[in-house]
Amino acid sequence: MKPSRSWLVLCAVHGVASMLLWWARPGAIDTLTWHAHDWLQQPWTLWTSAWVHMNTPHLIGNQLALGALAAFAWVIRPSLACTWAWLLAWPLMQGSLLLWPQIGYAVGLSGLLHAGAMVLAMQLIQKRIPVPMARRWGGLLALGLLVKLALEQGWSNPVVWDPGNEMSVVQAAHLAGTLWGLVLGLMLGWLPRDRAIAPAPSLPAH
């Protein structure tokens, strides 16, 4: 698959939108926040809620993680198909939170970042991104995500209180994002690889 700048563009959109919404009025923020009980009346929140953050540490932490993901993508140059997979994981991750009745609302980029990281990990493991030691880097990235999920146990602890940042953390979003990244990243492996165009044979000299 051919490298594309689309992943970096999407990272920029996430970063800029998150900063702009940080300065939005509370009424506008509530309209853009995903709530489990009325999201069908506000379906756009499946996307916009990722850009809403609870406080300054929440915003800064996710912006730093987004910057790390963008820097990694700058090095490995994922394809346009990877970007499409990440885009598809966006609403699927948010909608999956309905599986946990304890979650009334969810905001922030963290679940989406988990999805993006796992998409890249699966593509590296399958050698769909042509970089040296692709499987090793993909395996390390996937292992790091899985260890984090095992420590959080988001399936049984979907929401926990973070006293340091004085906010609830929706760990189920990390789990859902990683799982959708895994599924969609693997599905990209079904796409045909780009074939290199062989150079035309040279004519014999006379």
Side-chain angles (χ1 to χ4, degrees):
M1 293 184 182
K2 296 179 180 179
S4 170
R5 295 182 180 179
S6 56
W7 188 283
L8 299 176
V9 171
L10 185 54
C11 286
V13 169
H14 289 321
V16 171
S18 297
M19 291 300 298
L20 290 176
L21 287 188
W22 179 245
W23 301 104
R25 295 180 178 180
I29 291 297
D30 188 63
T31 303
L32 298 174
T33 298
W34 179 88
H35 295 275
H37 68 279
D38 66 352
W39 70 274
L40 285 174
Q41 285 73 47
Q42 298 178 319
W44 58 86
T45 59
L46 289 171
W47 290 269
T48 58
S49 201
W51 299 331
V52 177
H53 291 83
M54 299 297 296
N55 53 38
T56 302
H58 188 206
L59 175 65
I60 293 175
N62 278 339
Q63 291 285 57
L64 290 175
L66 177 64
L69 187 64
F72 186 58
W74 175 265
V75 174
I76 67 173
R77 298 300 175 96
S79 66
L80 178 60
C82 291
T83 306
W84 279 113
W86 193 21
L87 280 168
L88 184 57
W90 192 350
L92 291 173
M93 178 276 300
Q94 197 77 38
S96 297
L97 300 182
L98 293 169
L99 296 173
W100 291 273
Q102 306 95 314
I103 301 175
Y105 71 97
V107 297
L109 279 170
S110 58
L112 191 56
L113 294 175
H114 281 70
M118 187 54 90
V119 167
L120 296 184
M122 291 301 100
Q123 286 295 280
L124 287 167
I125 289 173
Q126 297 177 89
K127 288 189 170 183
R128 306 287 287 195
I129 301 177
V131 296
M133 299 186 295
R135 284 184 174 167
R136 179 179 299 179
W137 290 115
L140 288 173
L141 181 56
L143 179 62
L145 288 168
L146 293 176
V147 169
K148 183 176 184 292
L149 294 182
L151 293 174
E152 291 181 343
Q153 298 183 358
W155 52 89
S156 58
N157 300 307
V159 184
V160 297
W161 178 253
D162 180 1
N165 292 325
E166 297 184 346
M167 56 173 282
S168 296
V169 177
V170 183
Q171 297 186 144
H174 306 164
L175 174 62
T178 303
L179 290 178
W180 279 116
L182 173 67
V183 170
L184 295 170
L186 288 174
M187 287 177 65
L188 288 181
W190 300 346
L191 297 177
R193 294 176 181 269
D194 291 334
R195 296 182 179 180
I197 300 175
S202 57
L203 297 175
H206 293 285

